[in-house]
Amino acid sequence: MMIDKRVLLGVSGGIAAYKAAELVRLLRAQGAEVRVVMTESAVQFVSPLTFQALSGNPVYISLTEVDAGNAMGHINLARWADVLLIAPATANIMAKIAHGLADDLLSTLYLAATCPVYVAPAMNQAMWSKPVTQENIAKLRQHGVGFIGPEQGSQACGEIGLGRMSEPADICAYLDASTGSEVQGLQGLRILVSAGPTREPLDPVRYLTNRSSGKMGYAVANAAIRAGAHVTLVSGPVALPPPVGCELINVETAGQMYEAVMSRATVCHVYIGTAAVADYSPVVVQAEKIKKQDGLLSISFQKNKDILAAVAGLDAPPFTVGFAAETDALEQYARGKLEQKNLDMIAANWVGREQGGFDSEQNALHVFWRGGEKKFPLMEKSALAGHLIELIAQRFQSADRA
Ligand code: C5P
């Protein structure tokens, strides 16, 4: 593990502030240069001297102080950072930065920062699950802020629940995985991504769908945008904010997704099929609502076209990446699909297990291609998508794609 970065660590006022001291020690041990900014209330929990000694740098608390000293005015401090990490992040600091308030040094630095921002929240479980906190979290995620934790467990207040700050070692591991090398080689390329579930109507009011949330596909689209690609996202019905900076095409059925993807596949360089496309659709969509009846109800289904296989089967196919969600024999099924569908790469994950997969914030992937494989451990889908895009860029560039 190596965090060869300039980390600006914001410490806000919660009991977990004491863990931030260990965090500074670990970050420095892994090669990071660290400067610490504390909120006024953080100073009530831990002395700035502790952070000064551990970071080897002056600790900043007030805006006027920083700007008066002018060796490192607040804008310079924001510019200096490769990463802004707020740990612990209280409900209050998250609310402030989610709304663009800048009434102290840390919130001002957030506004001025152009580097990636991560927060490691810490708060009482009831405060964490309060709808307004959840709204602020959703807003921050939408603004590209990465979340590290919080964890489940016993809390300083004596309660048990979600809200404990992640352990410093886990925060470091996360930063290491998320702030890796910049993705090279996708700038200007056209990348087509499919995401989300499809809906197959049975009658005017009912449909058949699956548990896909679209989170992985949207994270992949965002990572590709960050890597400088021109991204088109064909999406089934999801409850996610549209990625900024891509063309978004909303579809409902597998048939519509097939049309939307195939009409663009010939002009793209890379196709990433993350969508959980329905394998079957009803032969007949009833014009009227199906009425309750005695006995069994039979509905006949017909197989849908496989979009991924159709893209890979084009005369001049793009670099084609599939996903495989499996409940058993992951490698065998994934490698089987790689061959049968003639893909360049397949990213497989377990579903139906306790963690990760459908509708979760986190996922783990085992990626296969002919002659190689790579495993990514359980992590936030946004970080995972970054790694996947990096791997796709490497494989896409390699002369020997087959
Ligand atoms: O064969 P299976 O459905 O498990 O393969 C999953 C992969 O195939 C995913 O990448 C999914 O997007 C794609 N797929 C597709 N069209 C279908 C079914 C699956 O593109 N009709």
Side-chain angles (χ1 to χ4, degrees):
M1 194 154 64
M2 183 73 197
I3 304 167
D4 189 12
K5 301 266 178 224
R6 294 195 287 213
V7 179
L8 186 57
L9 175 66
V11 180
S12 61
I15 185 64
Y18 79 92
K19 286 193 192 174
E22 172 69 355
L23 184 57
V24 175
R25 196 188 63 75
L26 287 178
L27 285 168
R28 289 202 69 198
Q30 282 151 27
E33 201 182 326
V34 183
R35 286 179 187 268
V36 178
V37 173
M38 299 177 78
T39 62
E40 293 286 352
S41 61
V43 176
Q44 310 296 317
F45 289 91
V46 183
S47 158
L49 268 179
T50 306
F51 290 112
Q52 186 179 317
L54 289 168
S55 69
N57 280 314
V59 171
Y60 310 95
I61 301 161
S62 92
L63 195 56
T64 42
E65 209 177 55
V66 169
D67 290 340
N70 78 38
M72 255 293 175
H74 73 273
I75 297 293
N76 283 341
L77 195 52
R79 277 199 201 124
W80 170 88
D82 294 323
V83 179
L84 170 60
L85 166 66
I86 305 181
T90 59
N92 181 55
I93 190 72
M94 295 202 301
K96 288 206 302 193
I97 64 175
H99 290 85
L101 294 182
D103 62 353
D104 65 3
L105 179 59
L106 183 53
S107 51
T108 306
L109 285 170
Y110 170 79
L111 271 191
T114 53
C115 61
V117 180
Y118 298 89
V119 293
M123 70 195 71
N124 163 272
Q125 51 90 18
M127 292 170 78
W128 171 260
S129 48
K130 198 68 146 191
V132 70
T133 306
Q134 289 299 316
E135 279 167 28
N136 291 336
I137 292 162
K139 202 171 263 183
L140 288 172
R141 283 191 200 279
Q142 200 177 331
H143 296 168
V145 172
F147 275 73
I148 311 174
E151 311 290 329
Q152 198 85 30
S154 61
Q155 305 198 299
C157 51
E159 292 178 14
I160 294 178
L162 199 58
R164 270 170 72 98
M165 187 172 94
S166 298
E167 291 305 319
D170 294 337
I171 296 176
C172 283
Y174 187 96
L175 275 191
D176 179 49
S178 318
T179 58
S181 63
E182 302 269 301
V183 178
Q184 297 292 330
L186 292 182
Q187 286 83 357
L189 293 188
R190 280 185 294 277
I191 299 192
L192 183 60
V193 182
S194 71
T198 60
R199 268 182 195 168
E200 308 305 319
L202 293 162
D203 68 16
V205 293
R206 301 183 178 98
Y207 54 77
L208 209 77
T209 188
N210 58 63
R211 291 185 192 278
S212 169
S213 63
K215 285 175 190 159
M216 192 64 218
Y218 275 55
V220 165
N222 275 314
I225 295 165
R226 281 201 303 274
H230 299 300
V231 177
T232 300
L233 176 61
V234 177
S235 175
V238 297
L240 296 171
V244 177
C246 82
E247 181 195 10
L248 176 65
I249 296 149
N250 288 304
V251 296
E252 250 187 62
T253 65
Q256 291 166 355
M257 188 172 273
Y258 178 90
E259 295 302 329
V261 168
M262 293 311 283
S263 67
R264 291 163 180 86
T266 49
V267 294
C268 70
H269 301 97
V270 178
Y271 173 64
I272 309 172
T274 73
V277 186
D279 290 326
Y280 294 91
S281 53
V283 177
V284 179
V285 180
Q286 299 294 337
E288 306 296 339
K289 187 179 167 195
I290 301 168
K291 301 290 184 298
K292 256 196 291 267
Q293 57 186 31
D294 290 335
L296 300 175
L297 169 70
S298 299
I299 296 169
S300 295
F301 289 93
Q302 63 196 358
K303 203 153 179 198
N304 290 331
K305 285 189 239 176
D306 191 306
I307 304 170
L308 189 61
V311 171
L314 288 168
D315 286 343
F319 184 90
T320 307
V321 183
F323 269 68
E326 306 292 348
T327 55
D328 61 309
L330 188 80
E331 172 155 12
Q332 189 189 335
Y333 282 116
R335 284 219 180 264
K337 281 172 197 177
L338 185 75
E339 290 308 322
Q340 284 147 25
K341 302 196 191 192
N342 196 26
L343 309 177
D344 292 292
M345 190 185 267
I346 191 150
N349 65 283
W350 295 103
V351 282
R353 298 235 160 173
E354 270 183 8
Q355 283 187 304
F358 276 11
D359 203 21
S360 142
E361 295 299 334
Q362 296 190 316
N363 205 1
L365 287 178
H366 195 164
V367 185
F368 302 93
W369 59 94
R370 277 176 215 100
E373 64 184 282
K374 188 155 184 159
K375 258 186 180 169
F376 297 112
L378 190 71
M379 65 178 97
E380 291 258 319
K381 285 180 175 172
S382 55
L384 190 60
H387 288 298
L388 183 66
I389 284 294
E390 198 172 351
L391 183 60
I392 290 171
Q394 284 165 11
R395 298 294 313 149
F396 178 77
Q397 284 166 331
S398 92
D400 179 23
R401 264 167 51 177

